[in-house]
Amino acid sequence: MQNNDPHHDRAPGAVSQPSVSPEKLPGIRHVIAVASGKGGVGKSTVSVNLALALQQLGGRVGLLDADILGPSIPVMLGLPTGQRPETTADQKIVPAERRGLKAISMGMLTGDDNPAILRGPMVGKYLKMFIGSVHWGQLDYLIIDFPPGTGDTQLTLAQSVPLSGAVIVTTPQDVSLKIARRGLRAFETLNVAILGLVENMSSFTCPHCGEDTDIFRRGGGERMSLELGIRFLGAIPLDADIVTGGDEGRPIVAEKPNSVAAQAYVAIATVLADRLEALPTTALGAFAWNWETNEEEPAWVESAVQPMGSPTTPVGFRRRDARTMSVLWEDGRRDDFDVRDLRLACPCALCVEEMSGRPLLDPKSVLPDVAPQTISSAGNYAIVFRWNDGHSTGIYSVKHLRALAERFAAKVVDDV
């Protein structure tokens, strides 16, 4: 049986922990993923022009090109390539700046004719560098141009960055919509809010006769948004000036701000900015909690509890005593976990057989006094334990944690 829980997707012996510490993105109000399940939908073009449109609305904006193996942002912004970036006194990378937009990309480091031939761990290394070692300064929005797919790179980013939400890009035809739907579901699994969907290459208007031609069909994105109950942010027309501007480093939002396409981007940016302001503030935020000393203990936000609150959104963690971790959920439930029970319930590939779900961990091998050393947030969807017995390969999704709470509670009732 296939298991779609991201914390199961681990090779034996792999260390599954947040790629950067929670304090790595100070001064950034919103981090937005621009993503799709496939390539060729114009996601990078949307990222660049959306970033510039948010800037036109008065925002301070940065752009992170997370497509390490196929970067395209430098070309679209007209940035020089193959040059070593400047660094600050504390060895932070200074992002390039063009048109007031701060940007970082692998393409700036490698040059046009030097491919980045990297294995997965090295891709992760560069992603960690771009996330945690760039001096972004104060930003209202950091746009992350995600690579296509729903694999290890996407998971690393979702674990490493406190994402405000994701914008899904698709083209109108059915094959693109089906794959975009998978990308959307992947973000939902990772507990990342879906900010909305953009339909790119929506229609083509002939510059000579003014007739519209739906080359890739039309309206598929809006229909999909209605089916899934997510926000439809808007449609971008198929415009030759978008293509030419991207190839020549002259994005259409900056070069032809009065064009139909540029105005469509500004309209989408306006809806997106309003959507971000309306999102509820995350009660806890990122944390790295030392269990023994209780330093950096997460918040315990009673005011975030609401009658219709999410059963899988924690709004409080607390060290009740040396052996007990308490969790407060948004729906008002409170659960106490014995830390050894949590160690025994580790879902990683060393402790659970991935295909069958058969337990591999012998309870007798776990010491009675086992305890966490640190407990860290992993994106919006999980926490990571580093145990004092050396074990650190398990990511506990909030859904897994809630399920454990209900299972433990039912066991207590049965025992009584």
Side-chain angles (χ1 to χ4, degrees), residues 16 34 68 147 175 181 211 322 345 351 358 399:
S16 302
V34 176
I68 301 297
V175 64
R181 186 186 296 245
E211 182 178 345
C351 299
R358 179 177 62 87
K399 292 180 180 178

Side-chain angles (χ1 to χ4, degrees), residues 316-381:
F317 286 94
R318 179 175 290 167
R319 182 182 185 270
R320 200 188 77 178
D321 56 49
R323 305 299 308 164
T324 310
M325 184 185 78
S326 299
V327 181
L328 174 65
W329 302 94
E330 193 180 57
D331 65 356
R333 177 176 172 135
R334 293 166 171 79
D335 289 303
D336 290 335
F337 295 89
D338 180 279
V339 291
R340 186 173 186 273
D341 287 342
L342 287 172
R343 172 67 182 88
L344 293 173
C346 177
C348 80
L350 291 175
C351 299
V352 178
E353 209 285 321
E354 293 187 80
M355 297 300 292
S356 67
R358 179 177 62 87
L360 300 175
L361 179 64
D362 181 2
K364 295 178 182 178
S365 68
V366 178
L367 297 172
D369 62 348
V370 69
Q373 289 180 324
T374 59
I375 305 173
S376 305
S377 56
N380 300 330
Y381 81 100

Side-chain angles (χ1 to χ4, degrees), residues 207-357:
H208 304 292
C209 67
E211 182 178 345
D212 288 343
T213 302
D214 299 332
I215 296 175
F216 298 109
R217 298 188 175 182
R218 192 179 194 178
E222 189 166 9
R223 288 193 300 274
M224 180 172 135
S225 296
L226 289 172
E227 289 173 11
L228 300 179
I230 62 172
R231 182 73 60 89
F232 181 65
L233 295 174
I236 306 296
L238 183 61
D239 189 328
D241 286 337
I242 295 178
V243 179
T244 303
D247 287 345
E248 297 178 357
R250 299 182 291 106
I252 194 166
V253 167
E255 289 291 316
K256 296 188 176 182
N258 295 321
S259 64
V260 172
Q263 289 301 305
Y265 276 115
V266 173
I268 289 171
T270 302
V271 175
L272 179 60
D274 291 342
R275 174 89 170 105
L276 286 165
E277 291 304 314
L279 284 177
T281 303
T282 302
L284 297 180
F287 59 86
W289 178 16
N290 186 306
W291 178 259
E292 184 176 356
T293 65
N294 210 30
E295 293 178 80
E296 305 297 329
E297 182 184 36
W300 183 274
V301 189
E302 296 273 0
S303 60
V305 171
Q306 49 188 305
M308 300 300 291
S310 167
T312 55
T313 298
V315 295
F317 286 94
R318 179 175 290 167
R319 182 182 185 270
R320 200 188 77 178
D321 56 49
R323 305 299 308 164
T324 310
M325 184 185 78
S326 299
V327 181
L328 174 65
W329 302 94
E330 193 180 57
D331 65 356
R333 177 176 172 135
R334 293 166 171 79
D335 289 303
D336 290 335
F337 295 89
D338 180 279
V339 291
R340 186 173 186 273
D341 287 342
L342 287 172
R343 172 67 182 88
L344 293 173
C346 177
C348 80
L350 291 175
C351 299
V352 178
E353 209 285 321
E354 293 187 80
M355 297 300 292
S356 67

